[in-house]
Amino acid sequence: MLGKLKKLPVNRYIDAGILVFLLVFPLFANNYRVGFMGKTAAYMIFALSLDLLWGYTGLMSFGHAVLFGLGGYMVGLSFTFSGGVPDFMSRMGITELPWFASVLQNEYIASLLGIIIPGALAAILGYFIFYSKVKGIFFSLITMALAQIFETFFANQSAITNGTSGLGGLPRRFFGIELRVKPFYYLTVGVVILVYALCLRLSCSRFGKALTSIREDENRLSFVGYNPAKFKIAVFAISGMLAGLAGMLFVPFNGMISPTELGINLSTSVLVWIAIGGRGNLTGAMLGTLIVNWLQTLLSEFSADIWPLVLGGMILAVIFVIPTGIVGKLKELQYNANARKTLREISQKEELPNE
Amino acid sequence: MKLDLRKKLMKTAAAALSLTMAASLISGCDKSDNSDIKIGLLFSKTGATAITEECMINAAEMAVDEINEAGGINGKKLTYVFEDYATDAATAAEKIKKLIMQDEVTAVVGCYTSASRIACEPVVEENNSLLIYPTFYEGEKPSENVVYTGAVPNQQGDIFIPWLAENVGKKFFLLGTDTVYAQLINSQCRDALANIGGEVVGEEYVPNGHNDFSTIITKIKDADPDVLFVNLNGDSGVAFFKQYKQYGLDANTMPVASYLLDESTVAALGAETAAGHYTSINYVSTLDTEANKSFLERYHEKFGDDAEMTVVGEETYASVMLLAQALKKTDDYSAESIIKAMDGISLDAPEGTITFDAETNHMYLRGRIAKVNSEGKFEVVYESPELIKPNPEA
């Protein structure tokens, strides 16, 4: 048992560390910090969803926040419409809710839609993108344009979305359950653990192996008889659903949602978190999210000007010094140490053949 | 050798990181003692509106310093905690939570964008705290936990439209970004024109971030209005003014009137492009009064001659002063009693005396119409004889 534990890759220890840290955090922190950690936990789900797509499959989405924001907007609109015509609409002279409001007023349907719509959007987009063999940087460009389109679209539909001001005053509810900060935090951490387990299961399965081989060499995968497009559409859809779920958990902590939550800003931020943490191993996505978000809030409390400088420095450091990210580097070190140990063992055995 | 360098780099980076983290933790500790009154300042030091909000931060700091130099608040020192919301509404909500729940500030002065205010309102309401919002804005149903010191549309439009109709011309062309704000002030403009026999010869809305106005300028030329009533957000506004000039429209025959033309827009456009256009606002930095001159002198002494002052900076200064006066009148620092203490306060601000309206939590303000002169400075061409009552729900 102990031997088996020792053989685990280093990042599984970090995973355990992060999960324990998330669980005990509220015992030492005030409600404000717990609320912030809740947002970070929702971001961790978001980062995990993108890690499946980018880290494992090699599809660098520059518009992943669209899927996150759509999930958030579903619950946001549901809360907003539940009290009848909201203030911002009546100020524009609108006295009737739009036709789809009656659907969204049902919290359970809205919550389901928050997962389904981002998943469906990803699947449809994936169908057109991957069957037309769009690859590499062009996938990134299309998704980037998508982020810009959605951000502008939601900002301009002010009769429904309240424009750039967004929807505010949203309660801490998830699938009809309304909770105080700490219980809601534990609910979110529970979802983080589930999503983490799901991603781990996926990445270890045959499906996960297929994804990795798409990243490494897509042509070879099709030579052996698999259709890469199908795998890519599937992972994009799964990733989209998880991103939507993350958005639905983020909005209650945030208390509001505005078009910036589905724009390019957040889309690039999440890429940076994963790059710093290390991609393609789940741990890096969670660790990077945790480190960057906490550094940002602590440093900006200390001095507002310093944060962009530190972030820029971190990005440069990752690119030039540890291109595989923090966790990638640690795994590398562990691998090298193990290799040295094995080599030593082999050479020792060779020296003492008569024993 | 290469490896060594990498190791060194890593070590330096790690050291720098841990140092900044340690420093941030230390600074997180509470330095003030119990006899201080702590307020929060929430503005953007980074982000898209950082340039506009710089003078708000400066003005707030200056107000706090001046209050303390004059003996503080009933002998107590006024201190502040600053937070940067980086022109992001979600960050604003997050930071105001931190100010209220962690720093336990008595009140927060801050927010510039409407999105940030709307995001902060539920937080201050939930915690029964107080936010003082120092920006002219579109108006809303007043929150019981917010004091609004900036102008609302009626305080700009009530004098602006009749004055323009009388002194410039009666044919108006309305153009705005497709937002609640622009639609609201345009409908107010239409109502006002109907009352005085004016005429709307065209009305156009463009989406956020729109920057090609060639089609609209052709429509404007066809409609041939006397006044262009234009309220475009941010970069759209700058793009419009530039194309206005390129397409040969002339400020002498068809000037632009806008609520959103301030010192920083004029600076971005340059004097040549901005000259001849009008705005209506309660304060411009060129205001020729003793109070304003002395205010600007103190401001420039503190922050240098190049530091700009705009209406939002002046309103921020007035907000901190208003809060200080209210705190002097009460021993109970709950939002309710601070707002109650504001009732009846007449504040001698750089823009002149303004008074608090307990009915709406807004301010009675003096309306002013200003024209950009050839040097790119605002010249006040009209001043309302009375303070104008705020009507935030118009």
Side-chain angles (χ1 to χ4, degrees):
Chain A
M1 181 66 201
L2 211 66
K4 219 178 181 182
L5 263 179
K6 267 189 181 163
K7 273 192 192 128
L8 276 177
V10 61
N11 54 317
R12 295 293 160 253
Y13 293 108
I14 303 176
D15 290 341
I18 291 174
L19 295 181
V20 171
F21 177 60
L22 285 180
L23 287 173
V24 298
F25 184 79
L27 305 178
F28 306 103
N30 61 25
N31 272 353
Y32 160 71
R33 293 290 191 207
V34 173
F36 183 77
M37 193 55 137
K39 270 167 80 164
T40 312
Y43 277 149
M44 282 162 81
I45 302 175
F46 180 39
L48 282 173
S49 78
L50 183 59
D51 199 25
L52 278 185
L53 196 64
W54 183 32
Y56 284 93
T57 327
L59 298 166
M60 190 177 181
S61 167
F62 254 99
H64 215 53
V66 168
L67 307 165
F68 177 84
L70 278 177
Y73 261 104
M74 285 307 135
V75 289
L77 286 171
S78 170
F79 296 138
T80 308
F81 290 151
S82 62
V85 179
D87 276 350
F88 67 86
M89 284 170 89
S90 43
R91 291 204 72 195
M92 294 182 92
I94 300 167
T95 50
E96 256 182 67
L97 288 172
W99 59 270
F100 53 84
S102 55
V103 182
L104 286 177
Q105 271 171 340
N106 184 326
E107 217 173 326
Y108 301 100
I109 294 179
S111 304
L112 281 178
L113 284 178
I115 297 174
I116 294 169
I117 289 188
L121 177 73
I124 294 167
L125 276 171
Y127 180 81
F128 288 109
I129 293 176
F130 300 132
Y131 270 108
S132 43
K133 306 248 154 119
V134 173
K135 275 181 205 164
I137 189 77
F138 298 101
F139 175 75
S140 304
L141 287 176
I142 290 177
T143 44
M144 187 186 237
L146 189 76
Q148 188 62 56
I149 290 168
F150 269 80
E151 188 172 356
T152 313
F153 180 75
F154 274 72
N156 281 319
Q157 295 304 309
S158 40
I160 295 164
T161 61
N162 199 16
T164 46
S165 300
L167 309 167
L170 307 175
R172 269 187 299 275
R173 285 177 84 92
F174 183 68
F175 274 102
I177 315 165
E178 183 150 354
L179 293 169
R180 299 175 65 84
V181 178
K182 281 185 183 174
F184 202 94
Y185 171 78
Y186 278 112
L187 175 80
T188 310
V189 172
V191 180
V192 172
I193 294 173
L194 285 178
V195 170
Y196 167 73
L198 175 77
C199 292
L200 193 63
R201 181 83 188 72
L202 272 179
S203 65
C204 295
S205 67
R206 290 167 63 91
F207 179 72
K209 300 283 178 259
L211 298 183
T212 322
S213 41
I214 289 175
R215 181 188 67 197
E216 297 304 331
D217 193 338
E218 199 179 325
N219 290 334
R220 198 171 288 180
L221 188 72
S222 39
F223 288 151
V224 295
Y226 290 97
N227 182 354
K230 278 186 183 160
F231 286 100
K232 288 201 270 190
I233 295 170
V235 74
F236 199 13
I238 294 171
S239 176
M241 290 196 284
L242 292 178
L245 177 70
M248 285 166 56
L249 284 164
F250 172 82
V251 162
F253 281 113
N254 205 32
M256 63 157 307
I257 177 139
S258 66
T260 41
E261 262 82 52
L262 41 69
I264 284 184
N265 244 335
L266 184 59
S267 299
T268 27
S269 297
V270 67
L271 287 172
V272 170
W273 304 338
I274 298 178
I276 288 174
R279 59 187 181 275
N281 52 49
L282 303 180
T283 312
M286 296 199 289
L287 189 69
T289 309
L290 209 59
I291 291 178
V292 176
N293 280 291
W294 274 96
L295 265 185
Q296 173 169 18
T297 187
L298 290 177
L299 284 185
S300 72
E301 276 166 29
F302 167 61
S303 156
D305 307 323
I306 202 170
W307 171 244
L309 213 64
V310 172
L311 181 67
M314 279 167 77
I315 295 173
L316 284 180
V318 164
I319 293 171
F320 288 114
V321 187
I322 43 168
T324 46
I326 296 171
V327 177
K329 183 73 190 172
L330 289 175
K331 283 184 81 168
E332 225 171 87
L333 291 175
Q334 189 199 25
Y335 180 82
N336 289 346
N338 282 344
R340 267 197 297 276
K341 205 174 141 200
T342 322
L343 276 179
R344 223 179 7 250
E345 278 167 9
I346 292 170
S347 60
Q348 272 171 1
K349 272 178 196 161
E350 278 172 356
E351 274 168 25
L352 305 163
N354 297 328
E355 202 181 29
Chain B
M1 182 56 211
K2 203 180 164 201
L3 255 171
D4 278 356
L5 190 68
R6 278 196 174 177
K7 266 187 189 160
K8 259 186 197 165
L9 257 172
M10 290 262 283
K11 270 184 193 161
T12 338
L17 249 168
S18 46
L19 257 178
T20 40
M21 276 177 81
S24 70
L25 283 177
I26 293 163
S27 79
C29 297
D30 203 346
K31 271 175 279 184
S32 62
D33 57 71
N34 287 334
S35 64
D36 291 349
I37 296 178
K38 194 159 52 166
I39 61 168
L41 301 180
L42 181 65
F43 295 102
S44 301
K45 218 167 197 170
T46 56
T49 57
I51 299 168
T52 317
E53 293 184 53
E54 189 185 342
C55 80
M56 302 173 91
I57 302 170
N58 288 346
E61 281 175 10
M62 180 166 126
V64 170
D65 286 352
E66 287 183 1
I67 290 161
N68 287 329
E69 275 160 28
I73 290 160
N74 300 336
K76 292 179 185 171
K77 196 166 171 261
L78 189 65
T79 62
Y80 66 84
V81 183
F82 175 82
E83 284 294 341
D84 172 26
Y85 74 89
T87 324
D88 179 55
T91 311
E94 182 63 43
K95 292 298 183 188
I96 201 168
K97 244 180 243 172
K98 185 246 169 195
L99 288 171
I100 296 168
M101 294 168 76
Q102 180 140 317
D103 299 321
E104 296 175 344
V105 296
T106 306
V108 178
V109 178
C111 293
Y112 169 73
T113 63
S114 277
S116 67
R117 181 196 75 250
I118 291 167
C120 287
E121 276 170 0
V123 181
V124 286
E125 282 165 9
E126 193 182 332
N127 293 286
N128 198 14
S129 188
L130 175 63
L131 168 69
I132 304 183
Y133 179 59
T135 312
F136 65 98
Y137 79 113
E138 69 276 14
E140 68 178 5
K141 184 174 184 290
S143 160
E144 281 178 17
N145 294 79
V146 182
V147 169
Y148 310 75
T149 54
V152 287
N154 82 294
Q155 292 173 310
Q156 297 174 273
D158 282 1
I159 53 163
F160 203 19
I161 311 298
W163 188 88
L164 287 168
E166 192 174 316
N167 295 284
V168 183
K170 285 194 158 68
K171 283 203 295 184
F172 277 55
F173 192 101
L174 316 183
L175 171 62
T177 307
D178 195 1
T179 57
V180 186
Y181 181 58
Q183 290 184 1
L184 192 85
I185 53 186
N186 280 352
S187 81
Q188 284 179 1
C189 175
R190 233 177 297 121
D191 294 348
L193 282 176
N195 284 337
I196 49 177
E199 186 190 353
V200 176
V201 294
E203 185 166 354
E204 292 289 334
Y205 293 96
V206 297
N208 260 312
H210 187 85
N211 56 21
D212 177 11
F213 291 94
S214 46
T215 334
I216 286 175
I217 288 176
T218 316
K219 282 184 191 167
I220 291 172
K221 281 183 171 167
D222 288 345
D224 192 30
D226 302 320
V227 180
L228 285 175
F229 192 65
V230 177
N231 291 287
L232 295 164
N233 289 351
D235 293 343
S236 275
V238 175
F240 175 78
F241 276 107
K242 287 192 173 154
Q243 288 168 34
Y244 171 97
K245 188 101 183 149
Q246 278 168 14
Y247 284 93
L249 296 178
D250 185 6
N252 291 320
T253 54
M254 200 189 289
V256 174
S258 174
Y259 292 178
L260 301 176
L261 183 68
D262 63 3
E263 283 89 344
S264 55
T265 323
V266 173
L269 290 172
E272 206 189 322
T273 313
H277 301 305
Y278 294 90
T279 188
S280 169
I281 195 68
N282 49 313
Y283 174 84
V284 288
S285 59
T286 47
L287 204 59
D288 194 18
T289 62
E290 281 310 310
N292 185 44
K293 279 181 188 159
S294 129
F295 169 67
L296 287 178
E297 201 173 294
R298 292 185 324 256
Y299 183 77
H300 288 141
E301 198 179 310
K302 211 170 163 83
F303 300 103
D305 286 340
D306 295 333
E308 261 191 89
M309 176 49 65
T310 66
V311 59
V312 284
E314 192 269 350
E315 280 167 353
T316 309
Y317 179 84
S319 298
V320 179
M321 289 300 179
L322 175 73
L323 176 65
Q325 286 204 16
L327 288 171
K328 281 179 192 167
K329 280 171 66 185
T330 173
D331 292 324
D332 172 23
Y333 295 154
S334 70
E336 197 191 350
S337 48
I338 295 175
I339 294 181
K340 206 176 264 174
M342 284 180 181
D343 193 5
I345 290 183
S346 277
L347 190 70
D348 291 317
E351 64 183 276
T353 305
I354 51 178
T355 57
F356 181 74
D357 177 32
E359 205 179 303
T360 59
N361 284 1
H362 285 65
M363 303 295 288
Y364 277 88
L365 298 170
R366 194 172 299 281
R368 294 187 169 93
I369 297 169
K371 183 179 181 179
V372 184
N373 67 15
S374 54
E375 291 157 28
K377 301 272 181 217
F378 280 109
E379 257 173 44
V380 177
V381 291
Y382 176 82
E383 226 177 61
S384 71
E386 305 283 328
L387 294 183
I388 303 173
K389 184 179 165 59
N391 184 5
E393 287 183 88

